[in-house]
Amino acid sequence: RSLADVRLPQGGELQALSLEAGAGLVELKIHFKFVKQLHLDTPWLQDLRLLGCKGLFEEDFTSVIRGCPRLKVLSLTHCADLKEIDFSQLLVPSLEEFDLSGLSRASKLETLRLESPHLVKLLLPAWLWVEGYGLRQLMLSCPELSRLDLGTLRWGDLQELRLIVPALADLKPPQSATLASFSERAGPRLTVCVSSACLELLDLEGADRLAQ
């Protein structure tokens, strides 16, 4: 009989988990205060929610995601030690929703790369406007994404912005003044590579001078 339900203690001292499951397990919620080892071999899992997970770094996180090739919904809460999330090379080809809004204020996340052909919902961390924190690089290749809120980002923090989102119809730009006001100060430090349609949605005078 295939494993269909896993209930893990919340707020306990569990620090390591190795889980293999078949078609019966489609949803999984994991809460670690601190994680030393996390291994998932769950090829039919569709919904994964990770909470806490201090000590989870990029290499281990990527390995976890590789064990969930049919993942459609991914949510991260706290996960303070992730500095980079790289879902390029179609690492998560079925992903439809990615929720980062619950990341900790202590999060070190600076780089987000998503190549997700079916992504329709992306929620960025809500604290990125705090001085000293924030994404430096945001690269999205998401042809079905129609709405994107960059309002928690700031032009002054960004070093690279690349958007390949042909279906985008609603785009909220990063905070602070227009991109043009940063052109002299940021100069070559900021790379903007977006479509002309995205530039119109951003409504930024002088953006073409920085676009590549």
Side-chain angles (χ1 to χ4, degrees), residues 149-168:
D149 185 351
L150 303 180
T152 55
L153 278 64
R154 298 188 305 177
W155 282 119
D157 295 329
L158 282 170
Q159 296 178 2
E160 185 172 8
L161 177 64
R162 297 181 183 271
L163 303 178
I164 304 175
V165 280
L168 198 65

Side-chain angles (χ1 to χ4, degrees), residues 9 93 118:
H118 301 296

Side-chain angles (χ1 to χ4, degrees), residues 81-155:
D81 289 321
L82 282 176
K83 189 174 182 179
E84 177 179 345
I85 296 176
D86 187 351
F87 287 176
S88 58
Q89 305 300 317
L90 297 178
L91 179 65
V92 196
S94 301
L95 192 65
E96 297 177 359
E97 298 183 15
F98 192 13
D99 186 356
L100 296 166
S101 62
L103 285 185
S104 166
R105 282 180 174 267
S107 173
K108 301 177 178 67
L109 186 65
E110 293 184 350
T111 300
L112 177 60
R113 297 185 185 91
L114 297 180
E115 185 179 345
S116 301
H118 301 296
L119 190 76
V120 295
K121 183 177 182 180
L122 173 63
L123 298 178
L124 295 175
W127 46 259
L128 291 180
W129 57 269
V130 178
E131 186 173 358
Y133 295 88
L135 285 175
R136 303 292 186 260
Q137 297 175 303
L138 177 62
M139 289 146 280
L140 304 180
S141 178
C142 307
E144 295 188 7
L145 189 66
S146 62
R147 184 176 183 181
L148 181 60
D149 185 351
L150 303 180
T152 55
L153 278 64
R154 298 188 305 177
W155 282 119

Side-chain angles (χ1 to χ4, degrees), residues 9 15 21-22 34 37 52 60 63 66 163 185 187 189 207-208 212:
Q15 296 185 353
F34 183 89
Q37 180 182 359
D60 293 331
S63 178
R66 289 188 187 279
L163 303 178
R185 183 156 60 91
R189 187 180 66 82
D208 56 331
Q212 294 186 1

Side-chain angles (χ1 to χ4, degrees), residues 14-77:
L14 184 69
Q15 296 185 353
L17 174 66
S18 180
L19 177 64
E20 298 182 15
L25 186 66
V26 295
E27 297 183 14
L28 182 61
K29 182 178 180 180
I30 301 174
H31 187 181
F32 284 101
K33 285 184 178 179
F34 183 89
V35 56
K36 290 184 177 179
Q37 180 182 359
L38 179 58
H39 171 75
L40 298 181
D41 184 1
T42 51
W44 295 93
L45 191 69
Q46 297 183 17
D47 188 328
L48 175 62
R49 301 172 190 271
L50 299 178
L51 298 88
C53 291
K54 184 173 178 58
L56 182 65
F57 297 98
E58 292 78 25
E59 184 176 351
D60 293 331
F61 175 66
T62 300
S63 178
V64 168
I65 298 304
R66 289 188 187 279
C68 313
R70 290 179 174 84
L71 202 62
K72 292 184 177 181
V73 178
L74 177 60
S75 174
L76 304 182
T77 301

